Amino acid sequence: MHRYILLTLVVIFSLASLSLGVISFEETTMHILVQSRLPRTISILISGMSLATAGAIMQLLTSNRFVTPTTGSTTEWAKLGLLIILIWTPQASVVTKTLFSFAFGFAGTISFLFIIKRIKLKEATLVPLVGIIYGNIIASIATYLGYQHDLIQSIQSWTQGTFALILKGRYEVLYLSIPCLIVAMLYANRFTLISMGREISISLGVRYQATLYVGLLIVSTISALVLVTVGVIPFIGLVVPNMVTLYRGENLEQNITTIALLGGLFLLACDIISRLVLHPFEIPISVTASIIGCLLFILLIVGRRRHAA
Amino acid sequence: MITINHATKRYGSRSVVNDVSLSIGEGTLTTLIGANGAGKSTLLSLVGRLLEGEGEFLLEGKRIDRYPSTELAKRLSMLRQSNHITVRLTVAELVGFGRFPYSRSRLTAADRRIVSEAIEAMDLTNLSGKYLDQLSGGERQRASIAMIIAQDTKYILLDEPLNNLDMAHSVHIMKLLRTLVDERGKTVILVLHDINFASCYSDAIIAMKDGTLVYHAPTDDVITPDALQQIYGMEIPVCEHRGRRFCLYHL
Amino acid sequence: MQPRHTLTILVILVALSAALFLFYQLPGGAVAYILERRAIKLAALIVTAVAIAISTSIFQTVSGNRILTPSILGLDTLYLLVQTLLMFLLGAKSLAMMGRISDFLLSVAVMIVFSLALFSLLFGKHTMPLTMVLFLGMVFGQLFGALASFFQLLIDPNEFLTVQARMFASFNSVNTALLFSSSVIVAAIACALVFFLDILDVLSLGRESAITLGVDHRRASRLFLIIVAILTAIATALVGPVTFLGLLVVSLARQIAPTYRHSIILPTSCLLSMLFLIVGQLLFERIFHFNTPISIIINFAGGIYLLSHLILRGTV
């Protein structure tokens, strides 16, 4: 039931997003719609859905509800990969860039999982803290390289994710997230199982390592795709899955469509706000998403505390 | 004398200790027993002011929270279960902390004597220079008890002091506690899981079930099949050996 | 090695590096001026080093945790936000007239109030675990950063440029007046701490042992967290975030002086911290002529050290 409500909301918000722009709707030509507005709305939807799903998967892979690609160093590694390819061949194509940041994100997340398996962390919030320390190390390498090659500006531009530059012909690589989402749905049950630990999942007949790698592949692909086309959009992977699991438990198979739809909705709403607040200027969506996401997350934590008390 | 009036501890809507009132006389060894989750440790922590709850807790007629911290620490000490200490300390340093309420960190000759006696009483003299993280679980437990002994308070609260200890050390510690009560007039209250230790060494037993007080009576009145049935919800035959009662619940 | 010998060696090393910092590669002309500039920078390095080392070690003692540092609370972005808001509300001209000291004190006050508000979650009716509070602090940090960039969009770009230098504090642009007031505060706190060293020792045994030994745990933790908040705020306002310096030096100090005694850990950490900053700055500025800020290298080295230490020990 709630899924249909969500779906309706997504459709309404998408239409609103399509109708927004510097030029009013009546004057909008088919050309603008196809060249800029449609690509923009589609890429927001895809990014929102896939980032929320990637966050949910990451939380199951690490058995920790505070770990996301951004707090689990995936994003920092992907950024480092992107920076290295830019230094190496500045003219690299979108596909090469994506491949590079994917490879770094994948390897980096594996190393993060290794680290948190090695260190026995007593409290759940220490896991994302270690992730952030680790991410900071990687980020300092990137900043150093940036200083050496005068690329600090481009690093900063990725950190400010924005959909303002999305045009036909520059975003299509994002469609690759859709197969990722489908695989995620097929594997949802297995991700839930491996979140209960290696022993339990093996005794229930799930191939632990293989499932873990499938999850990592999905997470790193999505992170790399969104990073290359849009930039970093923080908090969505943290807030959206946590909101859903707070009310509906952590069974991913039951929640995955809700999480994806809510992710799309969240980002559409952020984008509309970004464009309306300073109209005709536009705020980078990463700023809007951070502000709204932070506030929601703080409410969530405080609410959970009240709830538990 | 320790007096508890209407002690209650709630976590949300669930009360772990529910309106418990009792008083414990000086110079006695009293054991708290009960099933898991009966509220024994919580009650002890409330008296030891490690937890805050509702109700009134009096030590020698004065409310515990009215004592200045240091004054209370000279009268009442408490050992929690799983007292894991993360700093790198030697056994002697840890036990030395027991003198903190009296001398802060400047130990006098008298303090040092008390510390080494406590170490010796816990059979740790050979290990006194070792770091806690080099010790086994049982040795660490004994070091923690030694610190409590060095604190030399009239009232001693111990939450499962026999955790991790082998039979010989368990017996040794129970005997030592008995001596502290009989010869030095201490008042000891402890939580035990081994009901036969409770039966052999305590003057009185406090039995709890689901947060409420079921029995507070001399040991022999509680170690009976009827009372045990009520406390643990299982049939426990009791037999006698050398004038002591033993519970045979293993079959 | 005896702790006292370790301390002596460290003092000598710090003195040597300070002398080197002052007199190495002294150019022919304008000696007095250059010496003065270098002395100011040296003083800034020392004040920061002490503030960071003390706040991190106290914080770790109170929290009973070796991988936490108050530097990740999000204070740096809060500083940025305060500066941006001041600029947004007052405009560059009035901000310039406001004077750096009142600006500095205002920012420090805001940071202290924020940290205390966060720490109060530790003691309220429904207490929150410390790691959760830190995590929340980081989320707030992100929020401040995002708000700051939002207000920066609203500010006239020309105005923005003229005051941007002020927002990103660094060792190269330390203001003498700020330095003086912050060194007075840091020195006063350091002196006051001498009387509380044994309480810190007891706190390191954990909450329950501390209470049993007669320390009012709640009051003591609150007092020490206030000190932590003040020191962290000063260091952040003075030179910006040096997140991992504290973790690095406190962890190293515990390695070379394996004791629980704060009378040894605190001075060891402070001296190590000074040594790191002075030598680091010397290498950077005058030997390698790097154009990279020193904080990047400190964060890199500190992070690597901390993680490898954790991985090797296998636990926190």
Side-chain angles (χ1 to χ4, degrees):
Chain A
M1 184 57 208
H2 63 276
R3 270 175 239 178
Y4 294 109
I5 300 175
L6 270 178
L7 196 61
T8 325
L9 282 173
V10 167
V11 172
I12 296 173
F13 274 68
S14 306
L15 290 174
S17 160
L18 279 176
S19 69
L20 265 180
V22 179
I23 307 166
S24 67
F25 201 59
E26 299 85 66
E27 294 166 48
T28 313
T29 57
M30 209 51 198
H31 180 71
I32 293 180
L33 203 65
V34 174
Q35 285 295 319
S36 142
R37 297 231 177 133
L38 207 55
R40 180 176 182 136
T41 305
I42 291 175
S43 54
I44 293 168
L45 252 182
I46 296 182
S47 314
M49 291 171 74
S50 38
L51 285 177
T53 313
I57 294 175
M58 196 75 175
Q59 279 147 36
L60 291 178
L61 296 185
T62 54
S63 319
N64 186 300
R65 64 194 155 88
F66 299 121
V67 177
T68 63
T70 8
T71 51
S73 81
T74 317
T75 316
E76 298 302 340
W77 275 102
K79 265 159 86 174
L80 183 63
L82 187 47
L83 186 72
I84 286 173
I85 187 78
L86 275 184
I87 291 170
W88 192 18
T89 43
Q91 254 51 59
S93 69
V94 175
V95 178
T96 328
K97 285 198 254 178
T98 314
L99 273 176
F100 239 78
S101 58
F102 157 75
F104 270 73
F106 184 66
T109 319
I110 291 178
S111 63
F112 172 64
L113 289 184
F114 167 76
I115 290 174
I116 59 169
K117 290 262 145 68
R118 264 312 301 268
I119 309 172
K120 286 179 193 65
L121 296 159
K122 274 172 264 156
E123 285 155 283
T125 27
L126 282 176
V127 176
L129 287 179
V130 168
I132 287 163
I133 291 175
Y134 188 46
N136 265 332
I137 300 175
I138 309 306
S140 65
I141 300 177
T143 320
Y144 176 75
L145 287 176
Y147 266 103
Q148 299 303 308
H149 295 88
D150 269 330
L151 285 168
I152 287 293
Q153 288 256 300
S154 27
I155 296 179
Q156 264 155 6
S157 75
W158 306 327
T159 322
Q160 292 251 310
T162 173
F163 287 97
L165 305 171
I166 295 281
L167 286 174
K168 185 165 183 280
R170 289 179 61 174
Y171 78 102
E172 282 78 359
V173 68
L174 257 186
Y175 282 120
L176 283 174
S177 311
I178 294 176
C180 290
L181 285 178
I182 295 172
V183 177
M185 291 193 182
L186 295 176
Y187 267 76
N189 235 341
R190 273 170 269 190
F191 291 144
T192 313
L193 277 178
I194 70 168
S195 78
M196 293 186 249
R198 190 164 176 279
E199 289 77 18
I200 292 185
S201 45
I202 289 178
S203 70
L204 288 170
V206 172
R207 288 166 60 198
Y208 182 82
Q209 284 298 338
T211 316
L212 196 70
Y213 284 125
V214 171
L216 286 177
L217 278 172
I218 297 175
V219 170
S220 353
T221 315
I222 289 176
S223 302
L225 288 170
V226 177
L227 175 72
V228 170
T229 46
V230 186
V232 178
I233 305 174
F235 278 99
I236 175 168
L238 181 65
V239 173
V240 173
N242 269 299
M243 283 202 307
V244 174
T245 51
L246 178 63
Y247 295 105
R248 300 172 45 84
E250 298 206 24
N251 185 347
L252 187 63
E253 185 158 72
Q254 279 198 356
N255 292 342
I256 191 162
T257 41
T258 317
I259 290 176
L261 284 174
L262 197 62
L265 191 64
F266 176 85
L267 210 56
L268 277 169
C270 288
D271 182 63
I272 292 172
I273 295 171
S274 291
R275 288 196 274 170
L276 284 182
V277 172
L278 290 184
H279 192 80
F281 300 107
E282 184 180 331
I283 308 166
I285 196 157
S286 62
V287 173
T288 328
S290 289
I291 296 175
I292 299 177
C294 283
L295 292 175
L296 276 177
F297 186 72
I298 290 162
L299 281 179
L300 213 67
I301 288 185
V302 176
R304 196 189 280 261
R305 203 160 63 113
R306 288 269 155 73
H307 200 68
Chain B
M1 173 115 122
I2 291 181
T3 311
I4 303 173
N5 289 326
H6 306 293
T8 299
K9 177 69 188 170
R10 291 194 182 94
Y11 289 106
S13 52
R14 190 168 152 255
S15 39
V16 189
V17 171
N18 198 357
D19 195 22
V20 172
S21 299
L22 53 89
S23 62
I24 294 163
E26 272 174 43
T28 55
L29 195 156
T30 309
T31 306
L32 276 154
I33 62 166
N36 292 334
K40 314 172 294 273
S41 297
T42 311
L43 184 65
L44 205 65
S45 298
L46 286 170
V47 179
R49 81 211 140 133
L50 296 181
L51 281 178
E52 279 172 31
E54 299 155 41
E56 203 181 29
F57 303 89
L58 305 172
L59 182 74
E60 293 175 344
K62 185 172 166 183
R63 280 178 63 128
I64 281 181
D65 49 3
R66 297 274 161 78
Y67 280 92
S69 297
T70 336
E71 285 312 304
L72 191 59
K74 289 177 190 166
R75 293 187 169 85
L76 177 79
S77 58
M78 163 139 191
L79 173 76
R80 282 268 289 165
Q81 52 176 319
S82 72
N83 210 344
H84 51 78
I85 285 166
T86 47
V87 281
R88 231 174 113 74
L89 288 176
T90 64
V91 172
E93 285 168 339
L94 177 74
V95 181
F97 269 113
R99 301 307 296 166
F100 184 82
Y102 305 90
S103 319
R104 307 250 328 220
S105 52
R106 282 176 237 301
L107 298 192
T108 62
D111 289 327
R112 286 184 205 288
R113 206 191 57 240
I114 294 172
V115 167
S116 60
E117 278 169 13
I119 292 176
E120 205 185 310
M122 277 298 109
D123 189 17
L124 289 166
T125 313
N126 294 333
L127 300 173
S128 70
K130 284 249 195 247
Y131 281 99
L132 291 176
D133 52 10
Q134 300 169 319
L135 304 183
S136 72
E139 288 161 346
R140 266 203 298 275
Q141 179 73 3
R142 273 149 55 205
S144 298
I145 297 174
M147 178 180 113
I148 297 290
I149 291 175
Q151 201 177 335
D152 194 24
T153 52
K154 191 164 170 192
Y155 296 87
I156 300 173
L157 313 178
L158 302 161
D159 193 355
E160 297 197 26
L162 306 185
N163 258 357
N164 288 320
L165 295 185
D166 55 34
M167 286 180 279
H169 282 109
S170 299
V171 172
H172 175 72
I173 284 174
M174 290 312 292
K175 285 196 168 140
L176 180 85
L177 293 176
R178 200 59 252 179
T179 327
L180 287 177
V181 172
D182 294 339
E183 289 171 17
R184 292 168 66 182
K186 308 265 181 207
T187 307
V188 176
I189 307 171
L190 69 168
V191 173
L192 284 182
H193 260 298
D194 189 332
I195 193 170
N196 291 327
F197 272 123
S199 162
C200 293
Y201 291 94
S202 21
D203 299 311
I205 286 184
I206 296 170
M208 292 184 68
K209 190 178 185 182
D210 301 330
T212 55
L213 182 70
V214 198
Y215 281 98
H216 180 196
T219 304
D220 284 354
D221 295 353
V222 183
I223 306 296
T224 63
D226 287 347
L228 293 170
Q229 169 80 37
Q230 195 187 342
I231 298 164
Y232 289 103
M234 66 186 278
E235 204 175 301
I236 300 178
V238 174
C239 68
E240 286 207 16
H241 174 67
R242 282 163 52 184
R244 304 279 187 196
R245 293 194 187 171
F246 288 87
C247 307
L248 304 173
Y249 53 85
H250 305 85
L251 286 173
Chain C
M1 193 167 18
Q2 281 286 313
R4 200 163 297 156
H5 297 165
T6 318
L7 279 178
T8 319
I9 293 174
L10 277 174
V11 169
I12 295 172
L13 284 177
V14 169
L16 277 178
S17 60
L20 209 59
F21 189 85
L22 285 176
F23 300 114
Y24 182 66
Q25 282 182 350
L26 209 56
V31 174
Y33 172 74
I34 287 179
L35 268 182
E36 192 195 323
R37 296 300 312 160
R38 287 189 180 175
I40 290 173
K41 203 185 268 185
L42 181 65
L45 291 170
I46 290 175
V47 172
T48 316
V50 171
I52 288 179
I54 294 183
S55 61
T56 308
S57 33
I58 292 185
F59 190 72
Q60 293 191 350
T61 297
V62 174
S63 64
N65 193 308
R66 296 292 173 76
I67 65 160
L68 297 179
T69 159
S71 305
I72 53 173
L73 274 179
L75 288 181
D76 49 320
T77 51
L78 179 59
Y79 179 73
L80 200 68
L81 179 62
V82 173
Q83 296 297 314
T84 315
L85 274 179
L86 281 176
M87 204 190 319
F88 175 67
L89 296 173
L90 302 176
K93 271 204 201 102
S94 343
L95 188 60
M97 273 160 57
M98 190 176 155
R100 294 221 53 171
I101 297 231
S102 38
D103 172 20
F104 174 77
L105 289 180
L106 179 70
S107 321
V108 170
V110 171
M111 287 190 273
I112 292 173
V113 168
F114 168 69
S115 340
L116 292 184
L118 262 189
F119 290 147
S120 73
L121 292 173
L122 295 170
F123 302 108
K125 198 154 185 223
H126 317 281
T127 54
M128 203 183 250
L130 188 110
T131 48
M132 194 67 186
V133 172
L134 272 192
F135 191 61
L136 207 59
M138 276 172 16
V139 173
F140 269 109
Q142 291 252 10
L143 176 66
F144 298 143
L147 283 172
S149 28
F150 173 72
F151 283 106
Q152 281 162 19
L153 290 173
L154 301 179
I155 295 172
D156 176 10
N158 296 321
E159 259 187 5
F160 180 68
L161 276 179
T162 57
V163 205
Q164 195 182 25
R166 186 169 191 160
M167 301 206 302
F168 299 100
S170 84
F171 290 109
N172 290 320
S173 60
V174 180
N175 181 293
T176 332
L178 298 193
L179 185 60
F180 181 72
S181 36
S182 28
S183 43
V184 169
I185 304 174
V186 172
I189 289 177
C191 293
L193 272 178
V194 172
F195 298 101
F196 295 104
L197 290 171
D198 47 3
I199 304 256
L200 277 171
D201 291 348
V202 175
L203 282 186
S204 62
L205 298 180
R207 177 180 172 269
E208 280 145 8
S209 304
I211 294 179
T212 301
L213 292 175
V215 168
D216 189 337
H217 182 262
R218 182 176 294 198
R219 237 178 60 197
S221 328
R222 201 174 277 164
L223 171 78
F224 287 123
L225 288 177
I226 291 174
I227 291 178
V228 167
I230 297 173
L231 290 177
T232 316
I234 287 179
T236 308
L238 207 56
V239 297
V242 202
T243 319
F244 287 115
L245 178 68
L247 284 176
L248 180 66
V249 296
V250 174
S251 184
L252 268 178
R254 291 189 205 274
Q255 292 256 306
I256 62 173
T259 169
Y260 67 95
R261 272 175 221 279
H262 285 78
S263 55
I264 291 166
I265 292 180
L266 284 181
T268 313
S269 316
C270 288
L271 288 168
L272 271 177
S273 180
M274 289 181 211
L275 196 63
F276 265 76
L277 276 187
I278 299 174
V279 172
Q281 190 72 19
L282 195 67
L283 288 177
F284 255 65
E285 230 180 60
R286 277 176 255 162
I287 296 178
F288 296 125
H289 301 286
F290 275 170
N291 57 350
T292 330
I294 184 178
S295 57
I296 293 176
I297 303 296
I298 290 178
N299 282 352
F300 179 69
I304 295 269
Y305 171 78
L306 183 75
L307 267 191
S308 47
H309 186 66
L310 287 178
I311 291 170
L312 288 178
R313 273 189 38 183
T315 175
V316 174

